[in-house]
Amino acid sequence: MNIVVFGNVPLATWVVKRLQAASDAKIVGVVCDPVSRDFRHHGLELPGLCDYARQAKIPVLTLTDLPTSVSGVRRLVGISCRFPHIIQESVIDLFDHGIVNLHGGELPRFRGVNIANHVILEKVPKGAGTLHSIDRGVDTGPIIDREYFDVEDSDTAYDVFLKTQDALMTVFERNLDSLVSGTLRAVPQDEF
């Protein structure tokens, strides 16, 4: 499977490194903001994706040059990992195996951003990380898998953020073989 990873944060770097270890995965490039940032507060001992890609000689792409860069590439899947930009339909259509998103919350309940804050404000007993397919809407695509975790009364939004990151790593690892083989299955959100 040919893969493009979208993201900036160390979790996106973790995804790329995990894909590099998978024998049937070929990373075609990464789409990231070309800015170096200090991500130590993310709790992973990894650089941001753009810095890692440059060091590892992985092509760094933009949403603008992506159509030219992947033209003619088949068996292409995208992985969005906490990517801060909405991916337009014209970009989604470039991927014959679609784009999946590592979303930092329980879908369909929590869409959008800053979900860790909402989990705390709403006193939700369980948080989650969700792997879902990207469609035309914002966090509305079919759900592939979710990983839940307990939210303690003493947890802060930062604690929830870190637990969510761990949940996303678990859900990604659990679905990696299906992702690389092109056999992921998803369920429409309205069934939840």
Side-chain angles (χ1 to χ4, degrees):
M1 186 65 70
N2 295 299
I3 301 169
V4 173
V5 177
F6 299 76
N8 294 318
V9 298
L11 182 60
T13 302
W14 178 87
V15 165
V16 167
K17 289 175 75 68
R18 187 60 192 92
L19 290 166
Q20 288 174 315
S23 61
D24 294 336
K26 178 184 177 201
I27 300 171
V28 176
V30 299
V31 178
C32 54
D33 295 329
V35 179
S36 291
R37 280 188 47 204
D38 182 354
F39 286 106
R40 281 180 283 187
H41 61 285
H42 282 235
L44 296 174
E45 296 296 321
L46 295 168
L49 181 58
C50 197
D51 289 339
Y52 178 77
R54 287 179 178 139
Q55 175 191 28
K57 303 205 181 325
I58 298 169
V60 176
L61 311 171
T62 67
L63 288 171
T64 304
D65 64 22
L66 189 60
T68 304
S69 300
V70 300
S71 176
V73 177
R74 296 293 164 248
R75 292 190 41 82
L76 183 64
V77 66
I79 302 170
S80 173
C81 185
R82 309 215 77 170
F83 190 57
H85 308 288
I86 294 175
I87 300 174
Q88 300 299 322
E89 186 177 356
S90 61
V91 172
I92 297 168
D93 290 344
L94 298 171
F95 293 82
D96 57 336
H97 283 264
I99 301 175
V100 299
N101 183 37
L102 289 163
H103 175 72
E106 178 191 3
L107 289 178
R109 182 175 184 174
F110 292 108
R111 293 186 173 119
V113 295
N114 300 319
I115 295 164
N117 295 326
H118 294 284
V119 166
I120 294 298
L121 290 170
E122 294 183 28
K123 298 182 184 338
V124 176
K126 294 224 178 258
T130 302
L131 181 66
H132 73 99
S133 297
I134 290 181
D135 65 7
R136 294 180 186 130
V138 177
D139 296 328
T140 59
I143 294 171
I144 297 163
D145 197 2
R146 296 183 289 193
E147 176 68 19
Y148 288 90
F149 57 86
D150 292 330
V151 178
E152 306 300 329
D153 290 340
S154 60
D155 280 349
T156 64
Y158 181 65
D159 295 323
V160 172
F161 167 81
L162 293 175
K163 288 180 179 184
T164 302
Q165 185 169 254
D166 288 343
L168 290 171
M169 293 165 85
T170 299
V171 79
F172 182 79
E173 195 70 46
R174 189 165 55 229
N175 290 278
L176 179 58
D177 290 342
S178 295
L179 175 81
V180 172
S181 68
T183 59
L184 285 174
R185 300 285 180 243
V187 176
Q189 286 193 26
D190 61 6
E191 293 189 22
F192 290 90

